[in-house]
Amino acid sequence: MGRTREAGCLAAGVVIGAGACYCVYRLTWGRDESEKIWDDHDDDDEEESSDIAETGKGAKANAGAGAGARLQGDSKAKAEVSVELKSGPDVKAEAHLKAQSGGGLEAKAKALFSTLKEQASAKAGKGARLGTISGTRTLTPGLPCPGVRGGGCHPVRNGARAGGRTSGKSKGRTRGKSTRTPATSWPVRRGKFNFPYKIDDILGATDLQKVLNILERTNDPFIQEVALVTLGNNAAYSFNQNAIRELGGLPIIAKLIKTKDPIIREKAYNALNNLSVNAENQGKIKTYISQVCDDTMICRLDSAVQMAGLRLLTNMTVTNHYQHLLSYSFPDFFALLFLGNYFTKIQIMKLIINFTENPAMTRELVSCKVPSELISLFNKEWDREILLNILTLFENINDNIKNEGLASSRKEFSRSSLFFLFKESGVCVKKIKALANHSDLVVKVKVLKVLTKL
């Protein structure tokens, strides 16, 4: 009877264990077996499934009951549970019961059932963490998983793309292993060079010579930038404008306007801009004015480089000596006036106004082709500075046309020319008259002044 009883208890334990595994399958994975929990990449076929161990105090107690419970008797038995997650369309749960000869199998089977029940509860979202042999997986209850409607509680590997798995957006096939791509590294200027001076130091001739020597010999963009800013700040003082020219600094600075680095070009333009206030320096800088104009027209619209170039061109055209060097760029100036943003419009209008104040440039100026949309600058929606500049531009051109006697030779100008837009179309006059009731008093006075000259 003893052996028969042991055989019956063993069979009962096996039946109970199989029933418990079936319950777990039905409660957890069975209802969603048509859906994928993990979408492994084709290259990750060798990823092995890891065993899910029990967590929490209750799980540890049940694991102890299932794996280490010992009953007094002639022999001992050991129960071990292993739930395996395998890649592929099917998710299988296997429970392995390893029993040795001995008594107490009924108690061990109950402990096994309790352990499986706790695991099913944890799988349903009640557990917090599931420790594994190969790593740690974190449950994310309430967040949608790829390919699953509504909330889910699928395990997510720490260190892997957890954010992508819980974002609720299906992005096709994803890797089961960690495939985090390092952030794009952009080149950063080195800032640890021990430059001998501060950029706002007012230097003498000896120190300026040292800065020019550093600028001439180095290819480091950071050193070039610091040296150009230092020279530009010192060029704001009239005594240093002469010193830099006498030390041969103008060619050294101008050489850097050919570089591809936009920051270096901007700083070089700024330094030359401060130096161009000096009349003798303008005679040296005129050699580079055509290149500066071409680069300013083709660089990125409304960029800092373009604004620095326009400021330099504006300073170089304050006098009438070098304006003829830029007459070929009149159509580009008016195109930029239409396309640019607010600050670009202000700067380009200051540049064009310099040309309108020179009667010798009138014929070339009014004969160039301009976009018809330029008329939109006379609208009252613009602020005071835009309106005052465009009214000044119109006033100067109208005066020059009268003084140069160009009104009688209107047949020389095409319908797309500035002459036709400002003088013949009559649209500008209507727009200016509409500004007579402008709310800004300064604008109103300017409008009345222009209208009295028509």
Side-chain angles (χ1 to χ4, degrees):
M1 289 298 292
R3 293 187 177 276
T4 303
R5 185 174 182 180
E6 286 183 1
C9 292
L10 179 62
V14 172
V15 172
I16 293 174
C21 293
Y22 181 75
C23 291
V24 173
Y25 177 80
R26 294 295 296 175
L27 289 173
T28 57
W29 298 291
R31 57 186 179 185
D32 293 327
E33 64 181 2
S34 62
E35 299 178 350
K36 295 181 180 180
I37 295 177
W38 299 97
D39 289 331
D40 291 338
H41 192 270
D42 295 338
D43 298 336
D44 299 327
D45 294 337
E46 297 180 2
E47 180 182 3
E48 297 180 357
S49 59
S50 58
D51 297 334
I52 301 178
E54 302 80 13
T55 61
K57 295 182 178 180
K60 290 181 180 179
N62 290 328
R70 291 179 175 83
L71 299 177
Q72 296 181 356
D74 297 332
S75 63
K76 300 178 181 179
K78 181 179 181 181
E80 179 180 348
V81 180
S82 174
V83 180
E84 298 179 357
L85 294 178
K86 298 182 179 179
S87 61
D90 299 327
V91 182
K92 299 180 181 180
E94 298 179 3
H96 301 288
L97 179 66
K98 297 180 181 179
Q100 298 178 356
S101 60
L105 289 179
E106 293 180 359
K108 297 171 187 177
K110 291 181 180 180
L112 171 62
F113 184 82
S114 299
T115 301
L116 294 175
K117 185 176 180 180
E118 289 293 332
Q119 290 180 354
S121 300
K123 186 62 182 178
K126 296 179 181 180
R129 304 182 68 84
L130 290 177
T132 63
I133 298 175
S134 60
T136 305
R137 295 185 179 183
T138 306
L139 293 178
T140 55
L143 294 176
C145 298
V148 181
R149 296 181 180 179
C153 56
H154 302 321
V156 179
R157 287 182 183 269
N158 287 351
R161 300 173 60 180
R165 297 187 183 276
T166 60
S167 62
K169 297 181 180 180
S170 179
K171 298 184 180 180
R173 301 180 65 85
T174 58
R175 293 179 180 269
K177 296 181 179 179
S178 175
T179 56
R180 180 178 296 174
T181 304
T184 304
S185 58
W186 297 96
V188 180
R189 297 187 186 277
R190 300 192 304 273
K192 296 183 178 180
F193 174 75
N194 187 18
F195 198 74
Y197 309 101
K198 296 181 179 179
I199 60 175
D200 55 351
D201 285 345
I202 302 176
L203 307 179
T206 304
D207 295 325
L208 288 174
Q209 183 66 68
K210 292 180 180 179
V211 175
L212 288 172
N213 291 339
I214 292 173
L215 182 61
E216 187 177 16
R217 296 173 183 175
T218 185
N219 291 322
D220 190 310
F222 173 76
I223 303 175
Q224 291 175 339
E225 181 181 354
V226 175
L228 286 171
V229 173
T230 303
L231 292 172
N233 289 340
N234 278 270
Y237 302 95
S238 58
F239 55 87
N240 276 336
Q241 293 169 1
N242 293 323
I244 292 174
R245 181 187 69 254
E246 293 170 357
L247 292 171
L250 289 176
I252 296 175
I253 297 173
K255 181 182 66 175
L256 295 175
I257 66 177
K258 301 178 181 179
T259 184
K260 296 181 179 180
D261 191 329
I263 297 179
I264 301 301
R265 292 212 315 272
E266 177 197 353
K267 305 308 180 187
Y269 288 158
N270 290 337
L272 291 175
N273 182 43
N274 288 344
L275 290 168
S276 66
V277 177
N278 185 288
E280 294 185 42
N281 288 343
Q282 284 192 358
K284 302 288 186 179
I285 298 174
K286 70 175 183 180
T287 308
Y288 316 102
I289 190 173
S290 296
Q291 181 182 350
V292 173
C293 182
D294 295 341
D295 292 344
T296 301
M297 293 300 107
I298 64 176
C299 69
R300 186 168 60 88
L301 183 65
D302 303 327
S303 62
V305 183
Q306 189 172 69
M307 290 297 297
L310 289 175
R311 285 192 294 267
L312 175 57
L313 295 177
T314 303
N315 268 359
M316 289 295 295
T317 55
V318 169
T319 61
N320 301 339
H321 302 302
Y322 313 111
Q323 290 181 355
H324 64 281
L325 299 175
L326 300 177
S327 59
Y328 70 95
S329 296
F330 284 160
D332 296 330
F333 292 158
F334 283 102
L336 189 60
L337 176 58
F338 170 67
L339 296 173
N341 62 13
Y342 174 83
F343 301 102
T344 303
K345 291 182 190 297
I346 294 294
Q347 194 61 50
I348 198 69
M349 278 193 285
K350 291 180 180 178
L351 174 60
I352 297 175
I353 287 173
N354 286 346
F355 292 100
T356 63
E357 292 176 348
N358 182 7
M361 302 297 298
T362 302
R363 183 177 290 274
E364 292 182 71
L365 191 62
V366 298
S367 62
C368 74
K369 294 182 179 181
V370 297
S372 59
E373 294 84 0
L374 200 65
I375 204 70
S376 63
L377 294 175
F378 291 92
N379 290 335
K380 62 180 181 180
E381 286 79 10
W382 292 104
D383 69 349
R384 174 193 291 185
E385 191 168 6
I386 290 283
L387 291 175
L388 290 179
N389 278 295
I390 194 64
L391 287 171
T392 301
L393 194 153
F394 178 86
E395 180 186 8
N396 292 346
I397 290 178
N398 186 66
D399 292 344
N400 291 338
I401 289 175
K402 289 181 179 181
N403 297 334
E404 297 295 318
L406 298 179
S408 59
S409 57
R410 59 174 57 91
K411 294 182 179 179
E412 299 180 9
F413 307 104
S414 64
R415 295 180 62 88
S416 60
S417 66
L418 181 64
F419 178 87
F420 184 85
L421 182 65
F422 276 11
K423 192 69 178 176
E424 292 298 309
S425 66
V427 179
C428 281
V429 177
K430 293 180 181 178
K431 289 281 189 179
I432 293 173
K433 288 181 179 179
L435 294 174
N437 296 324
H438 198 275
S439 58
D440 193 302
L441 181 60
V442 178
V443 175
K444 186 183 295 187
V445 172
K446 186 67 174 180
V447 169
L448 294 176
K449 179 182 177 182
V450 173
L451 290 177
T452 55
K453 293 183 178 183
L454 295 177

